[in-house]
Amino acid sequence: MTPAEPILSVGDVASRSGVAVSTLHFYERQGLIASERTAGNQRRYRRDVLRRIAFVRVSQRVGVPLADIRAALDSLPEGRTPTKKDWARLSRLWRTELDQRIRDLQHLRDDLTGCMGCGCLSLRTCALQNPSDELAAEGAGPRRWMDGDADETGG
């Protein structure tokens, strides 16, 4: 960082980005953003970190894992801040995965209509926990609960 470059303190970045200081520290540990240290060991950020943070937040909001976000940022020349053109290219790559997640959620939503939310009592129509009534062969009742195989979510 050159002395003429505007720099921001961690508090300034948190305030301007709407992200908690602890989140900024986490992002830095994950290699998503970078800071420089003053002689007093205080973090200082270049202004372009705000765009990187916005890129991370929007990517997270649409469900992109942090590892994929980091890989996307690492793919930029010299670790520069993403441009509009970069976002268009990267979002196209993520679109297929997002479309699949949307289809999966729609399928889950549609199957949920027939679910009683009971931890599956071996209903013939339960497409979520007991497709094709597979548990019926083990006997009547909530088989997963009776056998102690229920996980914390009740499945």
Side-chain angles (χ1 to χ4, degrees), residues 52-115:
R52 286 180 75 91
I53 293 167
F55 178 91
V56 171
R57 300 292 287 176
V58 169
S59 301
Q60 284 183 300
R61 178 128 192 206
V62 296
V64 178
L66 281 180
D68 293 350
I69 297 169
R70 183 177 48 250
L73 290 170
D74 289 347
S75 75
L76 299 175
E78 300 175 15
R80 69 170 163 72
T81 299
T83 63
K84 183 177 179 179
K85 186 175 178 180
D86 294 325
W87 176 256
R89 177 180 58 84
L90 293 167
S91 64
R92 273 193 309 274
L93 296 174
W94 293 332
R95 186 178 188 89
T96 302
E97 184 180 329
L98 292 173
D99 287 343
Q100 182 58 50
R101 274 194 261 152
I102 290 168
R103 284 190 297 276
D104 291 346
L105 286 170
Q106 287 172 331
H107 181 69
L108 179 63
R109 179 204 58 211
D110 295 344
D111 287 347
L112 186 60
T113 303
C115 180

Side-chain angles (χ1 to χ4, degrees), residues 1 25 28 34-45:
M1 225 179 302
H25 294 172
E28 195 167 343
S35 68
E36 308 242 345
R37 298 293 181 130
T38 66
N41 203 31
Q42 295 176 332
R43 287 178 169 89
R44 292 292 184 259
Y45 298 91

